[in-house]
């Protein structure tokens, strides 16, 4: 299928960029491409550290890969002759499944299986007597995240491509250009939203009482200073 070919092209492109930049990395005289990639990494790391101080950086490989893949997938549709793989529902669904499984696995690693399962019935800040109500709500909430991530990304990119196609069939060449420019903005924004939700889900999954104590101590020290 076309969308798998487009996905393969993105993987090959990123692999090629990685091999190219690896042999040209420089601290004293970085090239323009290295500066751009460092800015992307810094942007993602800053968001991770803001949500998960001291341990957010460990999630950079998956979160960074998801962001770059979705961004390139969204923007690929603006290139004549190509299409956005994210406009096919299978790709956003696969990405959503990966994120969903990943944050649950990391939650179990951080809290232990027993504590992680208990937080579905006893979420922080909710009276323990409400566990019979909170358990189904939490299970439905976590399950629906796959559908939410999938439909948000798929709907926006597919809708934008359909509008460009319809306008282009009526008035070709010039008329679709404003929508294509808007598609660049929308594609970038959707990649950012997907990754920010991923970071939020990860932060909630790996949060422990120890993290809360550290945050309180830091806040107290900051206030004293």
């Amino acid at each position: 299928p076309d969308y798998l070919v487009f996905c393969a092209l993105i993987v090959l492109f990123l692999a090629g960029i990685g091999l190219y930049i690896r042999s040209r990395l420089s601290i004293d005289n970085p090239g323009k491409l290295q500066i751009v990639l460092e800015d992307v990494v810094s942007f993602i790391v800053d968001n991770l550290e803001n949500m998960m101080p001291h341990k957010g950086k460990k999630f950079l490989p998956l979160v960074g890969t998801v962001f770059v893949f979705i961004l390139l997938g969204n923007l690929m549709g603006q290139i004549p002759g190509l299409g956005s793989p994210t406009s096919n529902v299978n790709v956003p669904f696969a990405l959503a499944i990966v994120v969903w499984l990943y944050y649950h696995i990391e939650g179990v690693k951080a809290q232990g299986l027993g504590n992680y399962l208990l937080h579905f019935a006893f979420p922080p800040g909710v009276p323990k007597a409400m566990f019979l109500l909170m358990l189904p709500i939490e299970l439905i909430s976590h399950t629906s995240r796959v559908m939410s991530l999938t439909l948000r990304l798929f709907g926006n990119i597919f809708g934008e491509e359909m509008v460009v196609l319809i306008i282009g069939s009526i008035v070709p060449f010039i008329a679709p250009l404003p929508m294509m420019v808007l598609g660049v903005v929308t594609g970038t924004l959707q990649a950012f939203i997907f990754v920010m939700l991923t970071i939020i889900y990860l932060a909630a999954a790996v949060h422990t009482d120890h993290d809360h104590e550290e945050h309180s101590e830091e806040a107290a020290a900051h206030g004293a200073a």
Side-chain angles (χ1 to χ4, degrees), residues 104 115-123 131 134-135 138-139 142:
H104 283 306
N115 288 332
Y116 186 70
L117 293 177
L118 281 175
H119 98 277
F120 290 99
F122 305 106
F131 76 95
M134 295 308 302
L135 180 59
E138 286 292 306
L139 292 176
H142 280 266

Side-chain angles (χ1 to χ4, degrees), residues 121-141:
F122 305 106
V126 178
K128 296 187 184 306
M130 297 181 63
F131 76 95
L132 288 176
L133 176 63
M134 295 308 302
L135 180 59
I137 291 177
E138 286 292 306
L139 292 176
I140 293 171
S141 172

Side-chain angles (χ1 to χ4, degrees), residues 17-30:
I17 290 293
L19 293 173
Y20 172 81
I21 197 67
R22 187 176 68 174
S23 61
R24 291 166 174 78
L25 289 176
S26 172
I27 297 176
D28 300 323
N29 187 29

Side-chain angles (χ1 to χ4, degrees), residues 40-118:
V40 173
V41 171
S42 297
F43 167 75
I44 298 172
V45 169
D46 287 344
N47 282 284
L48 285 167
E49 291 290 339
N50 285 336
M51 295 295 296
M52 295 170 281
H54 311 306
K55 60 182 179 182
K57 191 179 293 186
K58 64 178 286 190
F59 305 117
L60 175 63
L62 180 123
V63 174
T65 301
V66 168
F67 175 74
V68 174
F69 181 87
I70 293 177
L71 179 63
L72 293 180
N74 293 348
L75 299 182
M76 181 180 281
Q78 311 306 319
I79 303 174
L82 298 178
S84 297
T86 46
S87 66
N88 185 292
V89 70
N90 292 292
V91 176
F93 178 70
L95 291 166
I97 285 290
V98 168
V99 167
W100 190 81
L101 291 174
Y102 183 73
Y103 83 74
H104 283 306
I105 291 171
E106 291 299 326
V108 171
K109 287 182 180 179
Q111 301 189 43
L113 180 60
N115 288 332
Y116 186 70
L117 293 177
L118 281 175

